[in-house]
Each structure stands twice: as structure tokens, then as C-alpha cells.
Amino acid sequence: MVDVVFFLHTVPMIVALTMLPHKRPVESNAMFGHVDFALIASWWVYLYAFVVLPWQFAVVDRTRYLQAYLIIYAFENLVFVASAAMLAINTKGYWRTVYAYVTGAGTIYALGALVVKYFVTSNTYTRVSFHTLPVIVSLLLFGTAGVSAYSHRAEEKGDEYPACDLPPEHHSAGETQWASRMARTALLSLPFIGFWSAKFSQAPAAVHSFRLMITLGAVLPLGFLAFLRQELVDAERLRLLRASQESLDNLKRLQTQFVQSEKLASIGQLVGGVAHEINNPLTAILGYSELLADDPSVDSRSRSLAGKIREQARRTNILVNNLLSFARQAPSEQRGLLNINTIVNSAVQFRRIDLRGKNIRIDVQNGVSIPEVRGDPNQLLQVFSNIINNAVDAMEEVSGGTLTVRTLFEKGNAVILISDTGKGILEPHLVFDPFYTTKAVGKGTGLGLSICYGLVHDQGGKISCRNLPEGGATFRVELPTVPTLFSHRPGNSTPQDKPAKLA
């Protein structure tokens, strides 16, 4: 039993080298390392049981037992020294020095351990003899490697990639998966070792039977660990796939918002200049038409024509004002702290007056304990009125329905949900584009929701639209709230901190 412990003490160092400690993986999973270590350690236990134990239990032969032990122990140390030497060759900087110390220590320790084992078996070993000198020297070299690595930890923090030429994200899978490869190789080696024992080994039949049972018994734990690791890999890949999909969705949303903002900015500059140019002659047309319409000396037919000109001029003036609002060139009121329920209720109340006699009902659900928001009350009133008007127009097309207006507090934002039971929106992703409209010619300009989009974002909020599965559409407006601690701080009230009143 002591021989098994003495044999296995090198296995953790082999696994440590396969983990490539000089590398810095972008993301490591400790569970993978545990499973890989269990696989490799189990394989070495199996190898020890396959090579050594038959001469202890199946056929008792002390000479063959010692020969088998020395062979497997030498092979184990050879693997360790070869791995350390390979790392010493392929690394640079202080890590090359560390691996060189490990290689030298492993070599001296393997030779010293074989010497000690030889004198122990010949019954000539003494603790104070020179036989233990190589082991002591090797332990000193192992300690020197540890001290060297510890003393250069500051260099490792300062130098981003001291031991490799590429950053961690550029490491290939083969450079960082040696432990996994060795674990899989260990599992796949079982049938080959069993085949060699059955066909080519000259050992007695009892040893053959013993080794066959050991091989069959090792398949179960090694196979379980292999399947466990594959399950962990599948779970990790699914997690990364979901994270990648979420990142892709977020990127698409950001790109859409960026395109929308760029589109609004470019078109806004164009229509702003055009609107100003139209506004000057339009003002004159409107003024002269009002003079003609109110002049009693003009005959009734001319006054009627002047009234029609005035009506169309006013309609054009409304369109120009919308263009100026869209271009962000319309004057804005001073912003203050607002109760969002008050703004929403005012917008609903304005529309209720026109709904008498229509088969349209408005259901308002005001949230409680919603902190105040900072914004322009007239602009927010314009946003909610525009959305409500569009919802009412959509429900008139289907002969009525229910308009639900709901406010709530969610993740530091005041959320306003305006839902209708109409037929929905054909292209929800286009409703905020300038001049996009589904209304009949002459009934809509396609600027209302674009203006709402700009006003909401100007207030630091977000606006979105989606169709409901049961029919109809929902507009969602999110506005950042002001914490109560800051909105009602005693002794520091300023005109800007007072709640703004609706104009």
C-alpha cells in the first residue's frame, strides 16, 4: 500500500504541467480541471494495478513485483521529466528558468529514488547514508523553482504575456487542452493495453486473467468520468451559445438604434432648413387670408375662398411645426420634476372628450410609488397624446375596442405601457422611421412617432413597439426616474428641482 502512495505522488505534478501554468486562459472552469485530474489519476492507478499488482496477488513473485514496480515508476518519472523539458524548450522568460529547475529536479529525483529503492530492496539502506543525497538535492531544486516563480509574480503582473507570443484569446484549443487530451488518451488506451496483454504478453494465465479483470473494471470509472466531462463541455457550450446569441441580439438592437439616430439627424437637418424657408411665406399667406376673411367690404364668395385658404394655411402651419419639432429646432420648456401619472392622466383626459358616442373604452392603471422623472411636461404630453391618438385611430378601423394605459416602476425607470385592441402594426420595426405611415393619404404625415422617438430619447428614455399575440399593439416608454433622496433634499431646493406644471 505504501508503494502505491509513493508511486502516485508524481501524478499531481504531471497533471499540473498539462494545465500549462504559464498560460493565462481567458476563462477557466475548475470543474473541468477536477474531472481531467480524476481521469489521469485513475489511469495511473489502473496502470499501476495492471503492471504491478498481478505479481502481488495473482502470482506471488517478489522479484517480478520489484521489476514491474521499477519499470512503471521509471516510466512515470520519465513522462514528468519529458513534459517539464518540453515546456522549458517552448517557453521564454522566467518561466523557462522555472521549468528548467523542475526538469533538473525531476531528473535527479527519479535517479535518486531508483538508487534508494535499490538499496532498500538489498537491505543495505540507512537514513544517514549518501544514498539520500540526490533526493535532498532534487527537493532543494523543486523549492528553488517555487521561489523563482514566486519572486517573479510582480513581473508577471507587469508583463501582460511573459511566456508566450500571443495573448490568451489567440491561443488555439490545442495549446490549452493538453490535460483533456491526455485524459481522453488514457481512456482510449484501455482496449489496446488489454489487447497487448491477451495476445503478446508472456505472463502466466493467472496474470492474464487478473489484468483482464483490472481492465474491465477500469472501464467503468474512466468511462463515467469521460461522459461527465462531455456533459460539462456540452453545458458550457450551450451557455456560451446563449451568451453569444444575447450579445448578437444586443448588437443588432444597438445597430438599429444607431441607424435610427443617424437617419433622424440627417433628415432633421434637411427638413429643419426647408421648414424655416416655408414658414416665412406661409406666415404672410395666413395673415393676408385672415384679413380677407374678416374684411366686411369683400363679397361673400371672396371671404369664403379666403377662409378656405386660411384653413389650408393653418394645416400647413401645423405640418411645418411638426417638421421643426422633428428637427429639434422648436423651443423646449424648462425641464423639471414630474409625476408621470399626472402627465399620462392629462393625455388620456384630452382624448376622452372626443370618444363620446364611440365604442372605445380607455382603462388607466396608475402604478403606485413611482419616483418622479425629470423632463419637459409639454413634450411628454405630446408623446403620450400622439401614441394614444394612433391607438384610437387603429381601434376605429375595427369598430372599437379597449385602450389600456398602464404605468409602473421597473429597474429604476418609470414605464408607460399603451396597448390597444386594434389589428396591430404591419411593420413594427419601421413605425419610428420618418414619413412612414399606414394611414390614408391626407390623414397622416408619418412624422408623429418619429417626433415621439426623438423627444423620448431627448429626455434620456427609450421607446419601443411590438404586436400582441392576441391582437393589437403595445408601445413601451421608459423614462429614468430621480431617486426620492435627491428629488426632495431639504434646504437645497432650486427652481429646477421643483415639480414642473403642465402648460
Side-chain angles (χ1 to χ4, degrees), residues 266-276 323-324 326-327 329 435:
S266 58
I267 298 180
Q269 292 178 356
L270 173 64
V271 301
V274 174
H276 275 299
L323 288 172
L324 290 174
F326 168 73
Q329 298 182 19
F435 305 109

Side-chain angles (χ1 to χ4, degrees), residues 125-408:
Y125 174 77
T126 58
R127 295 182 179 178
V128 295
S129 65
F130 69 93
H131 308 148
T132 58
L133 184 59
V135 176
I136 296 174
V137 172
S138 66
L139 294 179
L140 290 175
L141 286 176
F142 277 122
T144 303
V147 171
S148 176
Y150 182 79
S151 63
H152 287 87
R153 70 190 188 283
E155 176 184 341
E156 183 177 359
K157 293 179 181 178
D159 187 5
E160 191 171 4
Y161 312 112
C164 50
D165 297 326
L166 296 176
E169 58 269 21
H170 293 151
H171 293 163
S172 66
E175 291 177 323
T176 56
Q177 296 295 323
W178 279 107
S180 174
R181 289 182 174 184
M182 183 173 286
R184 292 195 297 268
T185 303
L187 178 62
L188 294 176
S189 67
L190 295 183
F192 293 100
I193 295 176
F195 180 78
W196 172 85
S197 176
K199 294 296 183 180
F200 300 102
S201 177
Q202 302 298 323
V207 173
H208 282 300
S209 300
F210 186 88
R211 287 175 172 173
L212 180 61
M213 295 300 297
I214 289 293
T215 302
L216 293 176
V219 170
L220 182 61
L222 289 175
F224 169 77
L225 291 173
F227 282 112
L228 175 61
R229 193 185 192 285
Q230 187 60 44
E231 288 293 325
L232 294 175
V233 170
D234 292 342
E236 182 69 9
R237 287 176 177 172
L238 287 176
R239 185 189 68 81
L240 294 176
L241 181 61
R242 294 190 189 99
S244 300
Q245 185 63 44
E246 291 177 1
S247 300
L248 182 60
D249 294 340
N250 292 334
L251 179 60
K252 289 181 178 179
R253 282 193 292 267
L254 288 175
Q255 289 177 337
T256 302
Q257 293 177 3
F258 178 76
V259 171
Q260 181 72 12
S261 300
E262 289 294 320
K263 189 183 299 183
L264 290 175
S266 58
I267 298 180
Q269 292 178 356
L270 173 64
V271 301
V274 174
H276 275 299
E277 294 297 326
I278 295 175
N279 205 31
N280 294 328
L282 184 62
T283 302
I285 295 172
L286 184 60
Y288 288 129
S289 63
E290 288 180 349
L291 289 175
L292 287 175
D294 296 336
D295 189 354
S297 63
V298 179
D299 59 89
S300 59
R301 184 174 181 276
S302 297
R303 285 200 305 271
S304 175
L305 291 176
K308 292 180 180 180
I309 293 173
R310 178 176 60 184
E311 180 182 350
Q312 295 301 319
R314 286 176 177 173
R315 180 181 173 187
T316 307
N317 186 52
I318 294 174
L319 175 60
V320 170
N321 289 333
N322 285 340
L323 288 172
L324 290 174
S325 297
F326 168 73
R328 305 287 181 85
Q329 298 182 19
S332 175
E333 297 291 334
Q334 187 176 14
R335 295 184 181 181
L337 299 179
L338 307 173
N339 186 319
I340 198 63
N341 286 332
T342 302
I343 305 292
V344 171
N345 291 336
S346 299
V348 171
Q349 191 61 33
F350 291 157
R351 189 60 186 178
R352 282 187 193 273
I353 301 175
D354 299 333
L355 296 181
R356 295 173 182 173
K358 298 181 179 179
N359 188 26
I360 295 177
R361 185 175 65 90
I362 300 181
D363 180 19
V364 181
Q365 303 173 5
N366 289 330
V368 296
S369 302
I370 300 179
E372 295 174 319
V373 300
R374 186 180 296 278
D376 187 325
N378 291 324
Q379 289 184 352
L380 292 180
L381 186 62
Q382 179 183 356
V383 170
F384 300 138
S385 297
N386 203 320
I387 298 175
I388 291 174
N389 291 338
N390 287 342
V392 170
D393 292 342
M395 288 187 292
E396 286 181 346
E397 296 180 2
V398 294
S399 303
T402 301
L403 175 64
T404 304
V405 182
R406 182 186 175 200
T407 62
L408 64 144

